[in-house]
Amino acid sequence: MRNKILLTILLCYTSSALFAQLNRDQYLKLENALGERSFFNGHLTGFMLYDLDSQLVLYEKNSHQRFIPASTTKLFTLFSSLVVLNDSTQTLRYVTEGNTIRIWGSGDPSWKYKDFVQPDISAFLAPYEKVIFSDANMMSPAFGYGWQWDDYYYNYSAERSSLPIYGNLVQVKKVGNAPSVFPTIFQESVFPTNRTIRELERDFHSNRFYYNPNNFRAREEFIPFIVSPELLLELASEATGKEWTYQPDSLPVIHEEWRGAPLFPILKEMMLESDNFLAEQLMLMVSDRLFQRLDTERAIEYMLKTYLYDLPDEPQWVDGSGLSRHDLFTPRSMVALFEKIYRMLPDEQLWELLPTGGRSGTLENSYRAEEPYIFAKTGTMSNNHSLVGLIRGKSGRYYCFAFMNSNYPHKASEVRREMEKVMLMLRDML
């Protein structure tokens, strides 16, 4: 009996070892696909293929080099949210005294944004006659470190804030040759101009918007507005039917918490649609849960020291979304991070969160196949494109990979096409 057990263990070990390596021909094919004579030789490329079952590296190229990760940074935000936030958002912290309630926002992005389950702030405030708002707990600036200043009027660069509403965005629709905007309080700040612009554009320093009636297109459906306490009071008072006032008092040590919305739909939207605003607000909520203040830098420092200290290479991580060019990660650290997420989440939740090649999210129009084989987070910024996640081989087994590219002179679409050739070849090998 003992001999049979030993034989079984030996066979399992041998089978695992066989699965956990590429043969010589497979290895050479990958070398040729990524080597000196390949498309990828003209720029910095890093790649790692990892067997999740045997926990062995099957192939690597420049996996120790640091790359600008762009939106694959959201995997760090996802991990942080799963560890710290549990199952719901943190919407408000508050204290009450008689018919007065004082509130501090906790970074929840869901209030009147997209189709999320809404925190019923109106019902929560109904028993009180006086609402006093403070943003004294907001430590992080509206824009992250290293964000491009001229992205300020694009919807992917909405400002961070302690209690956002409408995603801190103005919605734009075309009516005749003019824009109609929502929330409607911004309509009186929309002006025609003779400048040669085709979209509604916001002034850099104010919430004044301009359009040219001769060629207005309205293809930019959403534009960020500048957040201020005064503007929030106006929007929040209108939304709740109750007058708000502003008093920037510090958050008392003794206070109450109110959690307003489920977390998973927000994580799913961030991952599938690569929503930068959600990613940034999630890191603010992580900080709020940890320190009762909204400080992304401090939250990142905490995560790196406590949960991510064992990554192969120390990340240079500065924001939640990956908008900053100061973010720098190595492929092998991305693989190590993804393995942590893989071990943490049930399979059905993981598949819901990951864009699927040819089917969903940012991969809906790429990596198409009769049977999906790529399940991964994308990241794209000028001259940088990365993909981190899972590949399913012809055998039906899943492998983790990180494929990162920086400093290329081509269009991102061309880099994606060449990457897809490599991943198809890899699928057929495994």
Side-chain angles (χ1 to χ4, degrees):
M1 180 66 180
R2 184 181 177 188
N3 290 337
K4 287 184 178 180
I5 294 173
L6 289 173
L7 179 60
T8 301
I9 293 173
L10 179 62
L11 287 172
C12 288
Y13 175 81
T14 304
S15 175
S16 175
L18 287 172
F19 276 123
Q21 59 185 328
L22 301 177
N23 62 41
R24 183 175 181 276
D25 288 343
Q26 291 171 332
Y27 186 87
L28 289 176
K29 282 183 179 179
L30 270 176
E31 281 286 284
N32 290 332
L34 298 170
E36 293 182 359
R37 297 184 178 180
S38 74
F39 167 85
F40 298 96
N41 189 50
H43 61 269
L44 183 61
T45 295
F47 185 81
M48 175 173 276
L49 180 65
Y50 179 77
D51 189 320
L52 290 159
D53 293 333
S54 67
Q55 299 182 327
L56 294 175
V57 176
L58 304 188
Y59 180 86
E60 71 84 26
K61 177 183 176 66
N62 293 330
S63 65
H64 64 293
Q65 296 281 3
R66 285 175 169 80
F67 293 78
I68 295 173
S71 282
T72 57
T73 302
K74 293 181 176 72
L75 289 167
F76 280 80
T77 300
L78 173 64
F79 177 78
S80 303
S81 301
L82 292 170
V83 169
V84 176
L85 296 178
N86 300 319
D87 62 353
S88 61
T89 65
Q90 183 86 8
T91 302
L92 298 173
R93 296 182 182 272
Y94 67 96
V95 294
T96 61
E97 184 179 349
N99 64 0
T100 298
I101 183 170
R102 299 175 182 269
I103 62 175
W104 290 259
S106 295
D108 185 349
S110 57
W111 193 17
K112 295 190 177 296
Y113 183 52
K114 297 194 171 180
D115 295 324
F116 296 125
V117 174
Q118 289 297 297
D120 196 346
I121 295 179
S122 296
F124 176 73
L125 298 178
Y128 307 99
E129 294 180 10
K130 191 174 183 180
V131 181
I132 302 175
F133 168 73
S134 172
D135 58 359
N137 59 331
M138 181 70 179
M139 303 293 118
S140 293
F143 294 118
Y145 174 58
W147 290 12
Q148 294 185 178
W149 71 267
D150 56 349
D151 284 345
Y152 75 93
Y153 54 77
Y154 291 114
N155 63 1
Y156 58 76
S157 194
E159 293 189 5
R160 305 184 291 195
S161 65
S162 63
L163 185 57
I165 183 171
Y166 302 111
N168 292 341
L169 296 170
V170 174
Q171 186 175 15
V172 183
K173 294 183 178 179
K174 186 177 182 181
V175 178
N177 292 327
S180 173
V181 300
F182 182 85
T184 55
I185 65 169
F186 292 105
Q187 192 67 52
E188 63 184 19
S189 300
V190 176
F191 305 97
T193 180
N194 292 324
R195 291 168 49 210
T196 56
I197 57 175
R198 295 188 176 184
E199 303 296 333
L200 184 68
E201 293 189 5
R202 199 200 78 216
D203 180 70
F204 184 75
H205 295 290
S206 70
N207 284 321
R208 293 172 63 89
F209 301 84
Y210 298 91
Y211 73 100
N212 187 322
N214 295 320
N215 52 11
F216 175 60
R217 300 185 303 183
R219 292 182 183 175
E220 295 289 339
E221 187 179 357
F222 294 95
I223 300 174
F225 57 73
I226 296 175
V227 177
S228 68
E230 296 76 18
L231 177 59
L232 176 62
L233 296 185
E234 190 172 356
L235 292 171
S237 296
E238 182 182 66
T240 60
K242 192 177 291 286
E243 185 178 356
W244 291 36
T245 58
Y246 177 65
Q247 192 170 312
D249 297 326
S250 298
L251 178 68
V253 174
I254 300 175
H255 61 270
E256 302 293 328
E257 304 173 5
W258 185 58
R259 299 186 182 184
L263 180 66
F264 191 80
I266 295 175
L267 297 178
K268 184 175 178 180
E269 182 74 7
M270 174 191 71
M271 290 294 293
L272 293 184
E273 302 305 324
S274 205
D275 190 309
N276 294 326
F277 174 70
L278 294 180
E280 295 300 333
Q281 295 298 134
L282 281 164
M283 287 307 300
L284 290 179
M285 285 195 290
V286 168
S287 176
D288 173 82
R289 190 70 60 87
L290 292 171
F291 310 116
Q292 294 78 59
R293 56 195 293 171
L294 282 65
D295 188 337
T296 296
E297 183 178 354
R298 189 176 178 190
I300 287 173
E301 182 181 7
Y302 173 85
M303 293 304 301
L304 290 176
K305 287 182 176 179
T306 55
Y307 293 98
L308 299 171
Y309 65 90
D310 55 348
L311 294 180
D313 307 290
E314 184 178 359
Q316 183 170 304
W317 176 23
V318 303
D319 65 4
S321 61
L323 278 172
S324 176
R325 288 180 178 269
H326 293 287
D327 291 313
L328 292 173
F329 307 145
T330 65
R332 63 189 182 187
S333 286
M334 295 302 293
V335 166
L337 171 70
F338 191 90
E339 184 177 17
K340 288 177 182 286
I341 297 170
Y342 177 83
R343 306 291 178 198
M344 180 187 303
L345 282 175
D347 286 351
E348 62 273 13
Q349 289 188 11
L350 182 62
W351 302 136
E352 276 196 71
L353 291 172
L354 292 176
T356 299
R359 300 292 176 87
S360 66
T362 54
L363 290 179
E364 184 176 3
N365 296 315
S366 55
Y367 299 93
R368 293 179 175 177
E370 185 174 341
E371 186 174 356
Y373 68 101
I374 294 293
F375 312 85
K377 182 71 194 77
T378 58
T380 305
M381 183 185 289
S382 299
N383 314 112
N384 297 273
H385 179 71
S386 295
L387 189 66
V388 179
L390 298 172
I391 180 171
R392 179 166 57 195
K394 285 285 190 178
S395 66
R397 299 179 73 240
Y398 291 89
Y399 301 83
C400 182
F401 72 91
F403 200 162
M404 308 185 76
N405 297 271
S406 287
N407 302 327
Y408 53 78
H410 319 286
K411 292 182 178 179
S413 58
E414 186 175 352
V415 176
R416 282 194 293 266
R417 282 196 299 271
E418 295 299 324
M419 289 172 65
E420 186 166 352
K421 293 176 185 177
V422 175
M423 300 311 289
L424 276 170
M425 179 186 71
L426 194 59
R427 178 200 65 178
D428 295 339
M429 286 182 185
L430 299 172

